[in-house]
Amino acid sequence: MSSTVKEKIEQLRCIIRYHDHKYYVENNPEISDYEYDQLLRELQNLESAHPELITPDSPTQRVADQPISQFPAVEHKKPMLSIDNTYSNEELKEFDQRIKRMAGINANTDIEYVVELKIDGIAITLWYENGLFVRGATRGDGFRGDDVTANLKTIRQIPLKLSVSGAHYKIPPVVEIRGEIYLPNKEFQRINEEREEKGEIQFANPRNAAAGSLKLLDPRITAKRRLKMFAYVIGYVEGMELESHVQCLDFVKAIGLPVNPYTQLCKNIDEVVRYCREWDKRRGILDYMVDGMVIKVNSLALQEQLGATSKAPRWMISFKFQPEQAITRIEEIVVQVGKTGTLTPVANLTPVLLAGTTVSRASLHNFDEVKRKDVRVGDHVVVQKAGEIIPQVVKVLEEKRSGREKVFVEPACCPVCKGPVHRDNSEVYLRCHNPLCKAQTKRRIQYFAGRDAMDIEGLGPAIIEQLVDKGLVDDYSDIFSLQYDDLVNLERMGKKSSSNLISAIENSRGRDLDRLICALGIHNVGLHTAEVLSDHFDSLGKLSNATADELEKIHEIGPVVAQSIVEFFQNKHTQEIIKKLLAKGVNTGKLASDMPRKSSKVAGKSFVITGKLQKYSRSDAEKLIKRLGGRVSSAMSRKTNYLIAGEDPGSKLDKAKELGVVILDEEAFYLLVG
């Protein structure tokens, strides 16, 4: 093989990567489309003649030739947490004061913040090893997402191989970049026009279109959608120490990823408020949807000190723009039945465009709310989107009434099963308590099969609807009696999808106890509470026999939750379902590998982990500490008992020394945990 051919191929790749960056990242092309196409065609011809020289990072490998079969799950190295929201200048200033109180900073001292546009898109993570793009995933539930690497490769703003501009930085051995995938407004309009011409259903908004494009099994179709990306944070990095968020963004730009040009460093909270107010007025000039601003503490050391709750970082907040409003008419009020029997009034509206979406339905929340606002069928109303997502009726325009409007009467029975309904003493909601109500059955099964519960992939609402209506399933325990022949003749179910669903059902029998508790749909019990209960009771049998007093003694379980649990397990219908689950081989105990094994050396102690561990992954080490009764924190404080320091420990090691915290290397940690 001539070295000249190898050199020519690598030279062409470097030139094309350079022009990709100029065009897609900097929006500053230096050559025409024709000249670019000629370069790409020359590279394709050379690689076709010498296929042994094709590499995964070559510009010719952005679009896969064949559809993929599925999206494997990816566990995030660090959780992709959500962001707390605020809607007023006063709340922004309260956020600033809260930061200072938690960090022990004088109330009159200024804190630097970085303010970024909150892009209304899809959060993703990009994983690079030695500069090569290895894997990309969606946020998912924050702890694991879907591997959408093939589709992310089609986005030319995402480099397949990192290169550094300038000598200030170097490519780290491992780096994870997080960002937002979005669809420009013009592209959204173009795609919807094409879909309309083909007689296909149009996308509701640019965000839905972006999400749908990322989940296409054929990357060739995704490539035609012209998605774009802005990177906004380093999720994880090895072999590199950075001091500020501004420095992180500078590094991200230096290695070739796009950062939003309207990011602003503010010296204090007053500058933050002014910048947010400015963009609330200017957002209409952008060719992409934004629904607010994101405010982050600039100092990484202060971020680390502040840490996070189980849901969101304490050092970051989102300032949401006031939602747009529109006037429309209520054509009908219908009643929906939820998984726990809750009856919810919903308004069917004359379709109206609102914040980029055509809205035809809006929740009326509960019947007291309908009475308070005096909402009637035929009323003209003001609607807006709560958090720019969920349409809601804000107020009735009484001056537009003609006298033909109809007062809505609260239902005396369930609209589905016609069974009696009543209002619980402590709640504003009406409930249907008929355990055989088909509407509840469908919602309960849908919840039971959900990702946070039994995670039965392929068992979606359309399939559940058919299974219940055809009498194949009466409750969620019947899922485990389904056979291939029950599924293959359903609409939207072929041979392969039926086989896959049977396999998914079989796999779900062995889910751990916390997943099963969550899946049961106990009122007031979600995934976190299910984990708390699973840690305290090692079997469903023990939990089902617990008294309200026993439950209330558990940290995080209050009287309302305790009473919900007791009432759930006392219900005869529930008892029959649990017997059926046991008979069908569903695991109802805590898996041995996760059974708590308290250790006197670890129980009650607080740990922080920093640097890279060799024997354990960080998540495994955290699970082990928790299993032994300890706590894991992300921030160093005087309450920290141990710092576990792996390779390249960074600033946490210095902080531990300063605070007098006991420092363990990996070997000492093994000895401690035994």
Side-chain angles (χ1 to χ4, degrees), residues 27 117 230 253 258-264 275 279 288:
N27 293 315
L117 297 181
F230 283 123
K253 282 196 289 186
V259 172
N260 192 280
Y262 302 113
T263 297
Q264 179 85 9
Y275 197 62
W279 271 105
Y288 45 87

Side-chain angles (χ1 to χ4, degrees), residues 74-81 138-145 310-311 452 527 531 626:
V74 173
E75 188 167 337
H76 301 308
K77 184 78 174 177
K78 288 184 177 179
M80 296 182 73
L81 301 177
T138 60
R139 177 180 179 270
D141 62 4
F143 297 92
R144 62 173 184 167
S310 61
K311 294 182 179 179
D452 285 344
L527 180 58
E531 290 172 347
K626 291 175 183 177

Side-chain angles (χ1 to χ4, degrees), residues 467 470 472 481-490 498 502:
L467 290 171
K470 291 178 182 294
L472 294 168
S481 298
L482 289 171
Q483 302 295 318
Y484 172 85
D485 290 340
D486 296 325
L487 302 175
V488 73
N489 293 319
L490 299 178
S498 297
I502 291 295

Side-chain angles (χ1 to χ4, degrees), residues 96-97 100 105-111 268:
D96 177 63
Q97 291 301 313
K100 291 172 183 175
I105 297 172
N106 186 285
N108 296 319
T109 303
D110 287 340
I111 294 178
N268 53 46

Side-chain angles (χ1 to χ4, degrees), residues 307-327:
T309 66
S310 61
K311 294 182 179 179
R314 294 190 180 94
W315 46 266
M316 174 168 60
I317 201 164
S318 165
F319 176 80
K320 300 298 286 288
F321 295 143
Q322 289 300 318
E324 296 179 24
Q325 296 184 336
I327 296 174

Side-chain angles (χ1 to χ4, degrees), residues 466-486:
Q466 295 180 73
L467 290 171
V468 174
D469 288 345
K470 291 178 182 294
L472 294 168
V473 171
D474 290 325
D475 58 61
Y476 41 67
S477 70
D478 292 334
I479 293 170
F480 301 99
S481 298
L482 289 171
Q483 302 295 318
Y484 172 85
D485 290 340
D486 296 325

